[in-house]
Amino acid sequence: MKQREYGKSARHQLKAPIYNTLVKYIQENRLRLHMPGHAGGRGMPKVFQDMASYDFTELPELDNFHLPRSIIKRAAKLLAETAGAQKSFFLINGATSGIQAFFLSLRNMQGKVLLPRNAHQAFFSGLVLSGAEPVYIPAQTDEDTGVAWGVNRQDIAEALEKHADLEAVFLVSPNYYGTCLNVRSIARMTENHDAVPLIIDEAHGGHFVFHPQYPEPALQQGADAVVQGLHKTWPVFNQGACLHTGRLYKRDKQLGQAVGLVSSSSPSYPLLASMDYARAFLSENGEGLLEQALKSSQCYKEKINRLPGFKLVQEEWEKHEEITGTDPLKILIKMENLSLDGFQVGRILREEFKIEVELQSVNVILAMMSMFHESQEWQKLYEALEKISLRYLGARKRIRVPAPPMPKQVVNPRSAWLHTKTLVDLRNSRGCVAGELIAAYPPGIPCMVPGELINEEIIEYLLWLRANCLQVHKAGGESGGKIWVLDGAI
Ligand SMILES: Cc1ncc(COP(=O)(O)O)c(C=O)c1O
């Protein structure tokens, strides 16, 4: 099988310095007179104890996350080699902390950054922490499902033309639904634009590097740096993530310092070891597992698409010239001619078939498969959908999901965050400036960011979200139909 150069599994890639050192350390059975307080799992339920035995602090032989010199340094080097990166950094607070670190390592932290309007809320924490000024590129939204599939290159080109003083261009590829942008051609655009760094949120694409028929990783397409949420697609504990920088990235040092700023001083060794082990494991087994998963995906996507009442969405999106591919493991299914909506399908899958999907929404569900799901598990999903299709085929009043509006930013997000605020009734908030972040969950894409002008359109949209059962997460906490707005800006 053809293998990409960068994912190649050289013999030394099978080593896992952090994991192997911990195993050796445990075998020596030293008396633990150090943190954490469970001293190797005491006072914990039995199921936690195995993992707790790996839960060390930064002892002399276990290196230091904030100043890596031995095993963490070696493991990061192996990680970089796997990804074809110049340098890699482990993250212990999720991809979110990597995105924050990029913002905190900008040359001019308060300068302008280009952002897609459908960026994850982690970007907005980056804006608040850094004080950067966002320049938004509108998200392109599928009319039928209301899902944002990506951004247009033309919009990027126009924004680059208009803003000569950008500090960075941030984009998301693949998005939460697995859809990938043409990073190669965007990289050419940023390269020609004073080489402004192109930073890709590749939170959902960490596995691409291990198989040539999965979408091409962003770094190989010319991105300057990427963030990957390894816990999303690798066999890694939640919050395990990493950053990779490319050959031409000039701010590795500042990025490393910024990672330190947003990371705990008590890094989880089980988490670090799980990333280290997973990299070695996938170097050896990733291609085979992904090959099997790809075959299952091809087979079952076709079968699901033939079921009356269901239609795969990504296949339609691939007609957009902006989209260069889709992660075969993200199965986004639209209800079409089914008397149920996505919430109802999700509930039946959960309650009757004991299948829990990643997302259920008005007209869609998203099943997130992994390289570890076996064909009988794909079959289980298929059979459940087949039963639902037979039982509930029939017309339903179609609900058109409105595209999220793009409110005007009138106050910088950080200034808005720091401003004093008042809680007002959402219906009476027209003309006020938002003081909090509001996002529909999942996947956590904000529709209102601190500093944005509240108009009738956004009020209608937020009321629509509430009325249609979408979970609305507010940074200011639950406040019963009210919204925090900036004082004095009413
Ligand atoms: C596209 C995208 N970027 C970033 C994040 C943040 O990742 P994490 O949960 O690892 O902090 C997510 C989380 O779902 C995401 O979907």
Side-chain angles (χ1 to χ4, degrees), residues 454-473:
I454 304 174
N455 59 15
E456 205 53 50
E457 203 188 352
I458 184 76
I459 295 173
E460 287 302 315
Y461 181 75
L462 293 173
L463 291 172
W464 186 92
L465 288 182
R466 272 185 185 281
N468 286 279
C469 314
L470 279 123
Q471 277 187 58
V472 181
H473 283 216

Side-chain angles (χ1 to χ4, degrees), residues 93-97 99 118-123 172-176 201-204 227-232 238-241 358 441 443:
N93 300 71
T96 297
S97 61
I99 291 167
N118 62 328
H120 186 266
Q121 63 179 23
F123 281 92
V172 183
S173 180
N175 64 9
Y176 178 74
D201 173 358
E202 202 177 38
H204 294 269
V227 56
Q228 293 179 342
L230 299 181
H231 65 97
K232 295 179 194 295
N238 249 337
Q239 296 185 18
E358 165 69 19
Y441 248 81

Side-chain angles (χ1 to χ4, degrees), residues 116-279:
R117 184 55 217 199
N118 62 328
H120 186 266
Q121 63 179 23
F123 281 92
F124 299 91
S125 62
L127 288 172
V128 169
L129 291 174
S130 66
E133 196 64 59
V135 173
Y136 291 116
I137 312 162
Q140 298 304 315
T141 307
D142 176 37
E143 274 209 5
D144 220 15
T145 57
V147 174
W149 53 259
V151 289
N152 277 337
R153 270 170 300 175
Q154 186 57 30
D155 290 329
I156 302 174
E158 282 168 18
L160 286 172
E161 195 59 41
K162 195 162 159 208
H163 303 274
D165 49 350
L166 290 169
E167 291 296 319
V169 171
F170 288 104
L171 292 173
V172 183
S173 180
N175 64 9
Y176 178 74
Y177 306 94
T179 313
C180 298
L181 296 175
N182 190 339
V183 174
R184 178 166 278 108
S185 88
I186 298 167
R188 276 198 293 269
M189 286 158 55
T190 52
E191 182 59 37
N192 290 335
H193 187 84
D194 230 4
V196 52
L198 174 62
I199 298 168
I200 303 290
D201 173 358
E202 202 177 38
H204 294 269
H207 55 309
F208 291 170
V209 76
F210 294 108
H211 197 291
Q213 280 166 276
Y214 282 62
E216 191 178 13
L219 209 55
Q220 278 63 48
Q221 293 188 58
D224 292 290
V226 303
V227 56
Q228 293 179 342
L230 299 181
H231 65 97
K232 295 179 194 295
T233 58
W234 285 25
V236 155
F237 289 122
N238 249 337
Q239 296 185 18
C242 69
L243 295 176
H244 300 301
T245 64
R247 218 166 27 87
L248 302 177
Y249 195 72
K250 297 200 176 69
R251 300 188 67 74
D252 280 349
K253 194 157 169 274
Q254 293 84 348
L255 188 60
Q257 287 166 347
V259 168
L261 206 64
V262 293
S263 301
S264 165
S265 61
S266 307
S268 158
Y269 272 89
L271 182 53
L272 286 169
S274 83
M275 289 191 270
D276 186 33
Y277 183 89
R279 192 255 326 125

Side-chain angles (χ1 to χ4, degrees), residues 63-74 76 87 89:
D63 208 358
N64 187 304
F65 181 79
H66 292 266
L67 192 62
R69 289 201 174 113
S70 60
I71 54 173
I72 297 178
K73 186 175 177 184
R74 287 208 299 279
K87 194 155 174 59
F89 300 90

